[in-house]
């Protein structure tokens, strides 16, 4: 029998066609990778006659094409229907035309100057009076469409259901490959049983969380009345401005995502204290999430999403949008969003409709309504809003109040009765009409339960009637990372963080003591446990979980998962858990226990050394972002705070200081010699190469300095001293020479005796001459590098050239200029005016000529000095802020290659970090401090956060970063080289 139809499927298509590198469905042609197409099919006709030309495609907008048969046009503006989506379930058949075909070979061509519909096939069907409609789907086609999952209609599909959906979308081959990976024993155990094993131990975790919420920003452009953070009703309880400015930088977010992926996390939910759309890199973050193969959710008010952003989200395959609306009309929208207008409401509605018109199944859209006394009357319209915008789902929840501030949002008895009536009418309407085909009421039965009890609704204890019946396992399945880096065990535990991503890796937090304590308390759920006073917003309640638990659904899902395990499986898991707990009770070393975890979940090996650690430990630590694999390359040690001079530019003894001058006791501080010697030996063991004695006082007044330098040299350090040479005993110079000191930097701040006396009140011209004699003695010792330091202010800027000439006459090894630091604003009288800065720059030109002619010693960091000087030529506002223009040009890596020890034993993470110590040698060894949480926090924040962040307020990095050159050198020597490799 001759064939009555001719099928032209996508795989027979010739031309530039994309059939596989997309997720719309197996063998759908998306386009050729360009915004124009020329596709053709060659086919053989056996029976002469008139044929229906039938197309099968999916499209969410009008994308007309031209069709040609054997080179002749047969239809323009073909394939121009909207089918309701882009994926396989949205494929529809349409009759394009009727045309005669003769036996033999033919060619069908499709041409378009723009993107085309998602084409499944063309079919020529021979006209026959007895046949069925050529547009009717076959049984297999109907079954294929029916198999594709909708996550809102099928929130918890079984394995067979998921397998069938993948076959429909991907085909048998891809599905079996995916199933093979899915069912590998290690993968299966980690995914299906590792979290249950953790629950049975009561505290431990053997895999990462399934879902993590990341609050990438705390900022928001809305002021929803029921918001815990930005509601205008909160007044002084609202989120402070400093906290609103917090956000997780793009680079740190990427590190977190990659770590979570390694831990087995599958879903990321972007929401929280602010709206994700405000983050400057939100699209890049979402794209990275999808590139890692993770499911991405976004909870947003959607007011800042442009059409371009919408298309990017659709193109990247974003999975879910939860759209926070809280209204079904302009009136209720304004009642719940005081800073919005009617225009904003209609623009939002139009934007959501546009999203649903261009998306291809995903991202699935859920409209989210928080019910309060301000919008309860709009209940039916809220459902209509979701239907009218073409959204997939709608969810209702009750407002969670902040005691004493948003209490008026609770419903009174009359309002509650009104809401109940509307809610039950809606449920009945949903059950008896075709609404089920248009929208999914997400967790609606849970909403009905929450409004069932009068007293619970009036007091806001919506979940009291279920919490007691449901074990809390959220500590094994979920985590929340806040914009300030704090990590919470559940959505309502924001007052009890279990760690911070700037202090520890997420893996360390997830398996840490605080998270284990959280699991222990929440699983037991004992009434009267003071732990639960810290859950939620109201510290006056005994059990914060009763008010509103946002994790009920996740806990219910975990219980279903546990119940689905057969009895023998539960027995085996309980035996494994018991064995593990016995190991704990017997006091096995923590490292041994962690090894057991790694055997179960090998991807947890983020605690190991970075691959680059063996070749370059400092670089490896920087790339890791948290860890240190060696000690600092250079350490500055403030041996003593005492100094005999009172330099006008000094930030501790300048006579210009008033309130900023330290107490007299501060000047008497000095490091204990035994602790110092122990510190030096530790540093040697840690790999430190260079030691500089400098700081708040003059190192030359530290007892037995010569012996300390000698010890440093015996340990193999390069040793340098920064001093003003004033008041030191003459014999000390000889001791330093004999001890083989490598370098001495002398703070002179002048080019003449007159300026020296002006810069050092209380000194005389003979003191200047004496210091020159000592410099000459040091220069004559060939083993010591002698450097002159010139701090420039308005009292000595006129001598910039003279200073170079002095350096040449003394034949020192080198010299450098730096700008006065206006500490605490009390030295601002020393700052250069724009005119003086211009004069100084002119003198620098003369110095540059001497440098080129080799008429003066080498000048360290001369370009940096001139750049800083140039910033002072602009206006008075910029005075004293030298590094604002370039501080972010290279990443701050100082936490991996530098440290400073103060005379009181405090450890400062950088030169300007004296007011932000990360530890003290009286309480811990430098090794412990160097690897401690405070130091780790500094490293991570210094690397990722802007120096305008409040964390760096006391550092004043923008004014003057004394470690900028160190960071620049590290960047050029290590990071740039690594990137090239």
């Amino acid at each position: 029998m001759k064939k009555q139809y001719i099928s032209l499927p996508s795989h027979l298509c010739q031309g530039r066609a994309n059939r596989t590198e997309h997720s719309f469905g197996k063998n759908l042609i998306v386009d050729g990778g360009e915004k124009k197409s020329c596709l053709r099919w060659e086919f053989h006709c056996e029976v002469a006659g008139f044929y229906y030309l039938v197309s099968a495609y999916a499209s969410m907008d009008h994308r007309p094409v031209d069709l040609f048969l054997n080179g002749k046009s047969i239809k323009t503006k073909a394939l121009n229907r909207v089918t309701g989506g882009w994926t396989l379930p949205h494929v529809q058949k349409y009759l394009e035309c009727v045309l005669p075909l003769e036996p033999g070979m033919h060619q069908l061509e499709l041409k378009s100057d723009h993107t085309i519909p998602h084409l499944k096939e063309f079919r020529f069907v021979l006209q026959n009076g007895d046949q069925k409609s050529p547009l009717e789907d076959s049984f297999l086609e109907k079954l294929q469409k029916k198999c594709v999952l909708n996550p809102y209609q099928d929130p918890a599909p079984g394995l067979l259901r998921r397998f069938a959906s993948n076959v429909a979308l991907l085909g048998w081959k891809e599905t079996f490959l995916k199933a093979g990976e899915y069912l590998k024993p290690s993968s299966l155990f980690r995914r299906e049983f590792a979290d249950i094993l953790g629950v049975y131990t009561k505290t431990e975790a053997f895999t990462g969380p399934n879902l993590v919420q990341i609050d990438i920003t705390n900022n928001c452009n809305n002021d929803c009345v029921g918001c815990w953070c930005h509601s205008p009703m909160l007044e002084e309880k609202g989120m402070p401005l400093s906290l609103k400015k917090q956000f997780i930088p793009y680079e740190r977010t990427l590190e977190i995502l990659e770590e979570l992926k390694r831990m087995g996390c599958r879903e990321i939910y972007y929401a929280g204290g602010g709206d994700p759309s405000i983050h400057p890199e939100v699209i890049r973050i979402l794209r990275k999430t999808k590139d890692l193969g993770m499911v991405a959710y976004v909870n947003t008010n959607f007011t800042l999403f442009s059409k371009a952003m919408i298309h990017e989200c659709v193109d990247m395959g974003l999975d879910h949008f939860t759209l926070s609306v809280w209204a079904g009309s302009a009136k209720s929208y304004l009642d719940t969003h005081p800073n919005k207008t009617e225009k904003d409401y209609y623009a939002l509605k139009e934007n959501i409709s546009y999203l649903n018109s261009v998306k291809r199944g995903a991202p699935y859209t859920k409209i989210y309504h928080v019910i309060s006394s301000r919008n309860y009357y709009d209940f039916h319209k809220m459902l209509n809003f979701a239907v009218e915008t073409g959204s997939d789902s709608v969810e209702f929840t009750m407002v969670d109040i902040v005691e004493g501030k948003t209490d008026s949002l609770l419903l009174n008895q009359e309002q509650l009765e009104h809401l109940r009536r509307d809610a039950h009418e809606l449920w009945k309407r949903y059950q008896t009409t075709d609404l089920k085909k248009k929208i999914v009421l997400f967790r609606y039965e849970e909403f009905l339960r929450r409004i069932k009890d009068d007293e619970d609704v009036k007091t806001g204890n919506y979940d009291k009637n279920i919490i007691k019946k449901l074990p809390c396992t959220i500590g094994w399945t979920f985590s929340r990372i806040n914009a300030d880096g704090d990590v919470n065990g559940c959505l309502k535990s924001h007052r009890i963080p279990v760690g911070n991503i700037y202090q520890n890796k997420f893996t360390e937090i997830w398996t840490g003591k605080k998270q284990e304590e959280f699991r222990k308390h929440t699983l037991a759920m004992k009434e009267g446990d003071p732990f639960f006073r810290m859950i939620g917003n109201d510290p006056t309640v005994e059990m914060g979980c009763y008010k509103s638990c946002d994790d009920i659904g996740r806990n219910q899902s975990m219980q279903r998962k546990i119940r689905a395990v057969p009895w023998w499986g539960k027995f085996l898991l309980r035996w494994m858990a018991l064995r593990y707990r016995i190991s704990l009770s017997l006091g096995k070393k923590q490292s041994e226990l962690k090894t057991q975890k790694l055997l179960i979940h090998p991807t947890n090996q983020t605690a190991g050394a970075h691959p680059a650690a063996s070749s370059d430990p400092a670089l490896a630590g920087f790339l890791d972002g948290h860890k240190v694999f060696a000690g600092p390359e250079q350490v500055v040690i403030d041996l003593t705070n005492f100094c005999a001079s009172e330099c006008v530019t000094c930030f501790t003894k300048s006579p210009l200081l008033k309130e900023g001058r330290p107490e007299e006791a501060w000047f008497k501080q000095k490091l204990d010699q035994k602790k110092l010697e122990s510190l030096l030996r530790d540093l040697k063991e840690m790999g430190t190469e260079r030691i500089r004695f400098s700081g708040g006082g003059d190192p030359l007044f530290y007892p037995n300095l010569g012996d300390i330098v000698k010890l440093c040299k015996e340990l193999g350090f390069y040793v340098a001293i920064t001093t003003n040479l004033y008041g030191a005993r003459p014999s000390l110079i000889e001791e330093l020479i004999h001890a083989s000191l490598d370098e001495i930097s002398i703070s002179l701040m002048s080019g003449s005796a007159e300026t020296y006396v002006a810069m050092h009140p209380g000194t005389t011209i003979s003191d200047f001459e004496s210091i020159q004699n000592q410099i000459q003695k040091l220069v004559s010792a060939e083993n010591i590098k002698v450097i002159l330091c010139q701090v420039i202010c308005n009292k000595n800027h006129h001598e910039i050239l003279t200073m170079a000439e002095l350096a040449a006459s003394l034949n020192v090894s080198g010299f450098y200029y730096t700008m006065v630091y206006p500490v605490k604003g009390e030295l601002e009288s020393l700052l250069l005016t724009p005119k003086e800065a211009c004069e100084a720059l002119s003198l620098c030109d003369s110095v540059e000529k001497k440098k080129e002619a080799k008429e003066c010693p080498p000048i360290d960091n001369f370009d940096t000095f001139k750049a800083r000087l140039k910033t002072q030529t602009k206006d008075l506002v910029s005075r004293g802020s030298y590094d604002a223009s370039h501080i972010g040009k290279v990443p701050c890596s100082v936490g991996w290659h530098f440290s400073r020890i103060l005379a009181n034993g405090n450890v400062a993470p950088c030169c300007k970090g004296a007011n932000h110590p990360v530890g003290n040698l009286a309480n811990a060894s430098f090794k412990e401090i160097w690897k401690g949480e405070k130091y780790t926090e500094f490293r991570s924040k210094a690397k990722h956060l802007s120096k305008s962040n409040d964390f760096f307020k006391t550092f004043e990095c923008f004014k003057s970063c004394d470690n900028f050159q160190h960071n620049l050198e590290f960047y050029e020597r290590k990071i740039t080289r690594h990137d090239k490799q």
Side-chain angles (χ1 to χ4, degrees):
M1 180 179 177
K2 301 292 184 180
K3 289 180 66 175
Q4 301 298 301
Y5 68 89
I6 304 166
S7 176
L8 306 181
S10 60
H11 71 272
L12 294 180
C13 172
Q14 300 175 39
R16 191 173 172 83
N18 178 6
R19 307 181 195 88
T20 58
E21 295 180 2
H22 59 76
S23 58
F24 302 102
K26 181 176 173 60
N27 287 332
L28 284 184
I29 295 176
V30 174
D31 59 38
E34 301 177 5
K35 291 190 175 180
K36 60 180 180 179
S37 297
C38 182
L39 309 176
R40 63 184 180 278
W41 291 259
E42 293 183 354
F43 63 96
H44 186 268
C45 175
E46 296 183 4
V47 180
F50 282 89
Y51 284 78
Y52 299 107
L53 175 57
V54 177
S55 61
Y57 61 90
S59 186
M60 273 299 292
D61 56 22
H62 298 282
R63 296 183 175 183
V65 303
D66 296 330
L67 297 178
F68 299 83
L69 183 66
N70 302 324
K72 294 182 180 180
S73 174
I74 56 174
K75 186 173 182 179
T76 60
K77 296 184 178 181
L79 280 64
N80 197 25
R81 305 286 186 91
V82 175
T83 71
W86 295 104
T87 59
L88 202 59
H90 299 104
V91 169
Q92 298 292 334
K93 292 181 180 178
Y94 296 100
L95 176 62
E96 299 296 342
C97 58
V98 179
L99 68 164
L101 285 180
E102 295 294 330
M105 292 299 298
H106 299 275
Q107 185 181 81
L108 178 70
E109 286 184 286
L110 177 155
K111 295 182 179 180
S112 173
D113 291 329
H114 48 76
T115 50
I116 64 173
H118 295 179
L119 181 62
K120 185 171 187 284
E121 71 170 336
F122 284 108
R123 182 172 289 194
F124 289 94
V125 182
L126 183 65
Q127 283 188 347
N128 187 326
D130 298 329
Q131 71 183 20
K132 294 181 180 180
S133 168
L135 303 183
E136 185 176 339
D137 284 342
S138 67
F139 171 77
L140 288 177
E141 288 171 329
K142 291 177 181 177
L143 181 63
Q144 186 182 42
K145 291 182 181 181
K146 192 73 175 174
C147 282
V148 177
L149 282 170
N150 181 316
Y152 285 109
Q153 294 174 342
D154 304 285
L159 279 175
L160 287 177
R161 183 75 179 87
R162 279 181 281 175
F163 183 83
S165 178
N166 281 321
V167 170
L169 277 173
L170 306 174
W172 289 98
K173 181 180 178 181
E174 289 297 322
T175 301
F176 275 117
L177 288 173
K178 189 174 180 180
E181 182 65 28
Y182 187 84
L183 294 173
K184 278 198 324 191
S186 59
S187 174
L188 183 65
F189 185 87
R190 184 171 66 249
R191 187 182 59 254
E192 301 297 336
F193 303 111
D195 51 359
I196 301 176
L197 175 62
V199 172
Y200 285 161
T201 67
K202 302 187 186 305
T203 57
E204 301 294 313
F206 299 95
T207 186
N210 178 68
L211 183 146
V212 172
Q213 175 173 312
I214 304 180
D215 300 4
I216 52 177
T217 178
N218 274 337
N219 205 357
C220 188
N221 64 315
N222 271 12
D223 62 349
C224 312
V225 291
C227 179
W228 305 345
C229 305
H230 306 285
S231 169
M233 301 171 69
L234 294 174
E235 298 173 322
E236 79 283 355
K237 285 190 176 181
M239 182 181 285
L241 183 61
S242 60
L243 199 54
K244 283 187 180 183
K245 293 191 298 183
Q246 298 278 5
F247 69 96
I248 305 177
Y250 172 70
E251 291 79 7
R252 184 69 187 104
T253 306
L254 297 197
E255 291 176 353
I256 295 167
L257 290 174
E258 288 168 353
E259 185 180 6
L260 290 172
K261 177 68 176 179
R262 292 193 296 269
M263 293 175 69
C265 179
R266 298 191 290 275
E267 302 178 7
I268 304 294
Y269 194 95
Y270 293 103
D275 196 284
S277 63
I278 290 183
H279 194 286
E281 301 287 358
V282 60
I283 295 298
R284 291 178 70 195
I285 289 172
L286 295 177
R287 192 173 294 279
K288 179 65 176 180
T289 309
K290 293 308 301 172
D291 288 346
L292 288 170
M294 304 169 89
V295 176
Y297 300 78
V298 178
N299 189 324
T300 172
N301 60 49
F302 209 58
T303 58
L304 296 179
F305 271 83
S306 64
K307 286 182 170 57
M309 291 171 69
I310 289 172
H311 281 286
E312 288 196 64
C313 290
V314 170
D315 291 342
M316 74 176 70
L318 185 73
D319 300 278
H320 298 269
F321 268 120
T322 294
L323 307 172
S324 185
V325 179
W326 301 23
S329 65
K331 181 183 183 308
S332 58
Y333 190 71
L334 269 60
D335 284 347
T336 52
H337 302 81
N339 69 346
K340 295 302 181 211
T341 65
E342 260 192 61
K343 183 179 178 181
D344 294 323
Y345 169 76
Y346 289 111
L348 173 63
K349 189 173 184 179
E350 191 276 332
N351 221 27
I352 295 175
S353 300
Y354 183 78
L355 164 64
N356 288 321
S357 72
V358 300
K359 71 188 181 74
R360 54 202 184 210
Y364 294 97
T365 49
K366 178 177 72 177
I367 305 299
Y368 189 68
H369 295 303
V370 177
I371 305 301
S372 70
S373 61
R374 298 273 187 105
N375 62 0
Y376 73 95
Y377 57 83
D378 230 14
F379 198 76
H380 283 290
K381 290 181 179 179
M382 290 178 185
L383 175 66
N384 294 341
F385 181 98
V387 174
E388 290 166 7
T389 55
S391 300
D392 297 289
S393 175
V394 61
E395 181 179 8
F396 299 94
T397 192
M398 297 302 295
V399 66
D400 183 12
I401 65 157
V402 176
E403 197 74 23
K405 291 297 180 182
T406 58
D407 314 68
S408 63
L409 298 177
L410 293 172
L411 274 61
N412 60 34
Q413 188 62 42
E414 182 181 348
Q415 293 167 338
L416 175 58
E417 292 299 332
H418 189 289
L419 175 66
R420 280 184 184 145
R421 183 173 63 253
D422 284 354
H424 286 289
E425 285 177 1
L426 191 151
W427 186 234
K428 184 177 180 180
R429 174 185 163 202
Y430 185 75
Q431 297 287 351
T432 57
T433 66
D434 63 349
L435 264 178
K436 280 186 178 181
K437 298 179 181 178
K438 299 178 181 179
I439 198 82
V440 173
L441 288 183
F442 189 71
R443 295 170 62 183
Y444 193 72
E445 290 177 321
E446 181 177 314
F447 175 75
L448 293 177
R449 174 192 59 74
R450 282 183 163 179
I451 63 173
K452 184 177 181 181
D453 186 274
D454 286 4
E455 188 60 30
D456 288 349
V457 176
K458 290 176 185 177
T459 59
N461 290 315
Y462 308 111
D463 292 327
K464 184 177 180 180
N465 54 11
I466 192 174
I467 288 294
K468 293 181 179 179
K469 305 173 185 176
L470 185 65
C472 181
T473 54
I474 197 66
W476 286 271
T477 59
F478 172 86
S479 190
R480 177 184 182 183
I481 302 173
N482 296 278
D484 61 359
D486 277 351
V487 178
N488 299 131
C490 72
L491 283 171
K492 290 295 170 65
S493 64
H494 48 278
R495 290 189 288 146
I496 42 175
V498 294
N500 188 286
I501 58 168
Y502 295 110
Q503 295 177 346
N504 295 97
K505 289 272 194 177
F506 183 83
T507 311
E508 296 166 347
I509 297 170
W510 183 248
T511 58
K513 288 295 181 185
K514 288 184 179 180
Q515 178 73 16
E516 290 174 358
E517 281 296 310
F518 175 86
R519 295 187 187 110
K520 181 179 178 181
H521 284 283
T522 52
L523 184 64
M525 193 66 72
K526 293 181 180 178
E527 288 202 34
D529 184 347
F531 178 86
F532 294 100
R533 285 182 175 271
M534 298 297 291
I535 300 292
N537 298 309
D538 187 356
T540 65
V541 298
E542 291 290 330
M543 184 68 70
C545 307
Y546 288 169
K547 300 207 74 155
S548 178
C549 175
D550 293 332
D551 297 300
I552 286 176
R554 282 180 275 274
N555 285 332
Q556 289 173 328
S557 177
M558 185 63 171
Q559 289 310 302
R560 288 193 295 269
K561 184 177 179 179
I562 293 173
R563 285 197 294 269
V565 178
W567 69 267
W568 55 267
K570 290 176 184 170
F571 176 81
L572 179 61
L573 289 171
R574 288 188 183 277
W575 175 79
M576 292 173 68
L578 177 62
R579 182 184 173 199
Y580 188 88
R581 294 184 68 190
I582 291 173
S583 298
L584 281 175
S585 64
L586 292 176
K588 270 196 176 183
K589 290 182 180 179
Q590 191 67 13
S591 59
E592 295 179 34
L593 298 177
K594 294 294 182 185
T595 302
Q596 292 184 31
K597 291 186 186 182
L598 297 178
L599 289 173
I600 296 171
H601 187 194
T603 56
N604 264 357
Q605 295 177 27
T606 54
H610 192 279
S614 59
S615 59
D616 194 334
L619 173 62
F622 176 82
L623 296 176
D624 177 272
H626 282 72
K627 297 290 184 184
V628 283
F629 302 107
E633 296 175 356
Q634 178 177 347
V635 175
V636 168
I637 302 177
D638 298 8
L639 294 175
T640 176
N641 287 336
F642 178 79
C643 183
S645 178
E646 291 191 342
C647 313
V648 292
T649 61
C650 181
F651 51 83
T652 60
K653 291 197 72 175
S654 170
L656 298 175
L657 291 173
K658 296 176 183 177
E659 294 181 3
R661 186 182 177 91
E663 298 290 335
E664 286 303 315
W666 184 86
F667 294 103
K668 297 177 182 179
Q669 291 176 349
K670 66 176 183 291
L671 280 175
D672 177 78
Q673 186 167 335
K674 287 186 178 179
K675 284 189 178 295
L676 173 61
E677 292 173 355
S678 176
L679 167 67
L680 292 170
R681 290 188 173 90
D682 282 349
L683 292 173
K684 177 60 182 177
E685 187 180 329
M686 295 169 70
T688 299
E689 300 169 359
R690 302 166 66 91
I691 300 291
R692 177 174 291 274
F693 296 119
S694 180
D698 194 312
L700 300 190
F701 289 93
Y702 187 79
N704 302 318
L705 178 61
D707 293 337
I708 296 300
V709 172
K710 188 176 180 181
L711 173 62
C712 288
K713 293 305 298 176
E714 289 173 356
L715 292 171
F717 292 118
Y718 180 96
V719 189
I721 289 176
T722 298
T723 173
N724 58 42
L725 278 183
Y726 178 76
R729 55 188 172 86
S731 61
L732 181 58
I733 299 300
E734 293 292 340
E735 291 178 26
L736 296 177
I737 293 172
H738 291 306
S740 300
L741 178 70
D742 294 286
E743 178 185 322
I744 186 164
S745 295
I746 302 157
S747 182
L748 208 55
M749 296 187 283
S750 60
S752 67
E754 291 76 18
T755 301
Y756 179 83
V757 172
M759 294 294 295
H760 302 81
T763 62
T764 64
I765 291 176
S766 63
D767 292 324
F768 181 66
E769 293 171 350
S770 174
I771 288 173
Q772 287 189 83
N773 292 333
Q774 294 179 49
I775 292 174
Q776 289 174 340
K777 184 181 292 187
L778 288 163
V779 169
S780 65
E782 295 181 358
N783 61 308
I784 299 181
K785 184 178 180 181
V786 181
I787 306 292
L788 296 186
C789 170
Q790 305 288 7
V791 180
I792 302 303
C793 66
N794 57 17
K795 290 182 178 294
N796 65 0
H797 75 285
H798 60 284
E799 286 200 339
I800 284 179
L801 178 58
T802 309
M803 294 171 183
E805 294 169 345
L806 176 64
S809 68
L810 292 173
N811 197 29
V812 295
S813 307
F815 67 105
Y816 67 92
Y817 303 96
T818 190
M819 301 297 293
V820 62
Y821 180 60
V823 62
K824 299 181 181 178
E826 295 188 10
L827 301 184
E828 288 185 351
S829 62
L830 297 174
L831 296 174
L832 301 180
T833 64
K835 181 181 178 182
E836 290 168 337
C838 289
E839 293 170 354
L841 274 175
S842 179
L843 290 171
C844 285
D845 292 339
S846 299
V847 173
E848 187 70 47
K849 291 177 182 177
K850 281 189 172 292
K851 176 187 172 187
E852 292 172 358
K854 297 184 179 179
E855 294 176 358
C856 69
I859 312 172
D860 291 342
N861 306 324
F862 195 36
D863 289 339
T864 299
F865 171 72
K866 289 188 290 183
R868 287 174 170 175
L869 191 56
K870 193 173 182 179
T871 64
Q872 306 302 288
T873 64
K874 298 176 181 178
D875 51 56
L876 292 173
V877 176
S878 64
R879 295 176 74 205
S881 293
Y882 307 116
D883 291 337
S885 62
H886 61 263
I887 195 66
K889 288 185 178 178
V890 296
C892 182
S893 56
V894 70
W896 284 273
H897 53 77
F898 178 91
S899 191
R900 179 182 175 190
I901 315 295
L902 305 182
N904 63 358
N906 278 346
V907 178
C910 68
C911 283
K912 287 293 193 291
N915 294 323
H916 206 293
V918 291
N920 189 285
L921 296 177
N923 304 319
S925 70
F926 182 81
K927 287 181 181 179
E928 295 169 324
I929 296 170
W930 179 246
K931 294 182 178 181
E933 287 188 356
K934 284 190 175 182
Y935 222 131
T936 302
E937 178 184 15
F938 169 82
R939 289 187 189 100
S940 187
K941 288 186 174 179
K943 178 181 176 181
H944 294 296
L945 298 184
S946 165
K947 299 309 173 286
S948 61
N949 187 282
D950 284 352
F951 179 83
F952 296 101
K953 191 172 183 179
T954 59
F955 292 83
E956 297 186 325
C957 306
F958 288 131
K959 284 191 175 183
S960 177
C961 175
D962 292 340
N963 295 109
F964 176 74
Q965 283 301 133
H966 298 140
N967 287 331
L968 182 61
E969 191 273 339
F970 184 89
Y971 181 80
E972 293 175 346
R973 177 167 54 96
K974 295 179 180 288
I975 301 173
T976 303
R977 185 185 305 167
H978 176 268
D979 290 344
K980 287 180 180 178
Q981 292 173 349

